[in-house]
Amino acid sequence: MTQALKNDRFLRALRREATDTTPVWVMRQAGRYLPEYRATRARAGSFMALAQNPELACEVTLQPLERFELDAAILFSDILTIPDAMGLGLSFAQGEGPQFAHPVRTRADIEKLGVPDMETELRYVMDAVRVIRKELDGRVPLIGFSGSPWTLACYMVEGQGSRDFARLKAMCWSEPALAHQLLDTLAQAVAAYLIAQAAAGAQALMIFDTWGGLLGPAPFREFSLRHMARVVEALKAHPASRDLPVTLFSKGAGQHLATMADTGCTALGVDWTIDLADARQAVAGRVALQGNLDPAILQADPEVIRREVRRVMDSYGNHPGHVFNLGHGITPEVNPEHVKVLVDEVHAYGRQLRG
Ligand code: 1CP
């Protein structure tokens, strides 16, 4: 567990230390745009069977690292493992989004929920972390992750994906105390989940708040940020996770970056709707930033990809504390060769920027 890292650029950038070039990883880097991922998923039979098999989860985690010079690996799993372990019955129909057999709609549903046990009900996730750490052998750091309480609640109340997650929003306005009860339970579960991943060997932690941006400013602070802040506080208080960098990513929340930095997190993920120059000004050197190329650009020609990569990097400028990434997950239709163009350009231009 304590072996030295051969490439620590990602961890150094999160600590806002100098690096030889800009580190890069790609949200959803192990996924359907890779033919080898589709082959392993077919062998597993379903997405959940893949995620629940530590050897296969390890195999797909490492696949993008075989192709591209990525500076971090991310655990292959999903944010919806927590609600599944809470008994909601998760499934993924082929080519479709997630579905819960038992969505959470009433006070009785919410009162029944408990924090799952991390080394029994979610043991497969911790086993995957342990197997991946061993196989990585210090090549690059391993990122563990969770959904945010708000984003998990979106899926749990709706029962599936949605454009607006109107059911949870309705609960927030009509029964705010009940919504907070659900979010409180989830905050405890998310903290325990991330602490267990840290104890199993994750070297950095990330919280995906994909749907935080659906909320107006005051409800964002009340229903999304407040509960993420409690998770960060719990991570900072536990010996297993206290020294790990924590990245918060609320999609569509560019206007909240300064408030998000107040949580004491290490870094903020940023989507493409804000320039990194403005994001840097907002956080005033308090946290590192991760982002923020529009994933749609990966479908353009290589020269456009290179130009737009440089535009993102110029916007951040020659300062420590930038982790290059997309502003959201890579989509299945992307040509893997285009990811190589992106990764190689980040490293080449990062060296050039440092002069
Ligand atoms: O059929 C398949 O193979 C399923 C596609 C897939 C994949 C590759 C799903 C179902 N989950 C994943 C893996 C996954 N999910 C990772 C792996 C690590 C990586 O390579 O990055 C991570 C970090 C996630 C996180 C996740 N799942 C988020 C947060 C990040 C984001 O992209 O916004 C969300 C919202 C989910 C829910 C989910 N799981 C899967 C799908 C298709 C969805 C989205 C559903 C929707 O659109 O609402």
Side-chain angles (χ1 to χ4, degrees):
M1 282 303 162
T2 52
Q3 90 260 50
L5 275 167
K6 293 165 192 129
N7 171 356
D8 67 349
R9 238 178 236 145
F10 170 68
L11 296 179
R12 291 180 63 86
L14 288 173
R15 295 193 297 254
R16 285 169 285 135
E17 294 169 4
T19 50
D20 60 334
T21 187
T22 304
V24 53
W25 69 280
V26 174
M27 281 195 261
R28 300 280 192 112
Q29 64 193 20
R32 283 176 294 176
Y33 74 103
L34 290 177
E36 58 271 33
Y37 169 82
R38 296 195 299 270
T40 310
R41 187 190 191 282
R43 258 202 292 147
S46 70
F47 175 81
M48 282 310 279
L50 175 55
Q52 289 177 343
N53 181 319
E55 279 70 36
L56 294 183
C58 176
E59 183 178 310
V60 295
T61 298
L62 299 182
Q63 283 171 350
L65 304 180
E66 304 300 332
R67 281 191 184 243
F68 319 117
E69 304 257 318
L70 294 159
D71 296 299
I74 180 161
L75 163 69
F76 185 82
S77 190
D78 196 78
I79 64 166
L80 301 177
T81 51
I82 288 180
D84 184 55
M86 287 176 159
L88 275 67
L90 174 63
S91 63
F92 290 92
Q94 186 78 44
E96 282 168 51
Q99 280 273 333
F100 286 118
H102 313 290
V104 166
R105 298 271 164 80
T106 63
R107 180 175 300 276
D109 292 339
I110 290 173
E111 282 172 354
K112 255 193 342 230
L113 297 173
V115 174
D117 184 81
M118 299 301 152
E119 282 295 345
T120 55
E121 284 139 307
L122 286 163
R123 174 162 201 125
Y124 68 90
V125 177
M126 309 315 148
D127 283 342
V129 170
R130 288 184 276 260
V131 174
I132 297 163
R133 264 305 294 276
K134 183 156 174 288
E135 288 301 311
L136 271 175
D137 194 28
R139 268 165 78 184
V140 292
L142 175 63
I143 305 168
F145 70 91
S146 172
S148 70
W150 167 258
T151 292
L152 294 180
C154 280
Y155 287 98
M156 290 169 72
V157 174
E158 197 65 37
Q160 58 187 37
S162 161
R163 199 173 298 184
D164 55 8
F165 292 96
R167 282 191 164 100
L168 176 60
K169 285 175 90 171
M171 189 191 292
C172 290
W173 294 113
S174 55
E175 293 182 276
L178 188 60
H180 279 302
Q181 191 181 337
L182 170 60
L183 293 163
D184 282 339
T185 303
L186 285 168
Q188 287 173 40
V190 167
Y193 189 54
L194 290 172
I195 289 167
Q197 290 181 41
Q203 292 150 298
L205 300 171
M206 176 155 170
I207 300 177
F208 289 93
D209 185 35
T210 305
W211 304 118
L214 294 177
L215 291 164
F220 172 78
R221 290 188 293 271
E222 178 179 346
F223 293 101
S224 170
L225 185 57
R226 190 209 284 180
H227 296 279
M228 281 198 286
R230 290 184 45 221
V231 173
V232 175
E233 205 180 304
L235 297 175
K236 293 292 157 202
H238 196 284
S241 49
R242 145 161 84 212
D243 297 325
L244 267 58
V246 181
T247 301
L248 303 183
F249 171 58
S250 290
K251 187 165 169 282
Q255 60 170 320
H256 300 297
L257 295 173
T259 325
M260 292 176 77
D262 292 338
T263 59
C265 66
T266 316
L268 292 172
V270 181
D271 72 21
W272 60 92
T273 61
I274 175 169
D275 277 328
L276 287 183
D278 296 327
R280 259 193 83 236
Q281 218 170 9
V283 301
R286 293 188 295 150
V287 294
L289 293 175
Q290 175 172 285
N292 70 342
L293 190 82
D294 182 344
I297 291 166
L298 280 175
Q299 296 189 57
D301 290 337
E303 58 272 27
V304 176
I305 298 171
R306 289 191 195 96
R307 184 189 74 209
E308 294 303 315
V309 163
R310 292 193 298 268
R311 190 201 301 276
V312 166
M313 294 174 72
D314 283 334
S315 181
Y316 193 87
N318 183 19
H319 310 280
H322 182 209
V323 173
F324 196 100
N325 205 315
L326 304 179
H328 196 204
I330 188 170
T331 52
E333 57 284 346
V334 168
N335 175 351
E337 281 307 306
H338 287 194
V339 177
K340 182 167 165 49
V341 169
L342 174 139
V343 170
D344 291 349
E345 186 64 20
V346 171
H347 286 154
Y349 194 61
R351 289 199 170 87
Q352 203 180 311
L353 264 182
R354 283 158 181 79

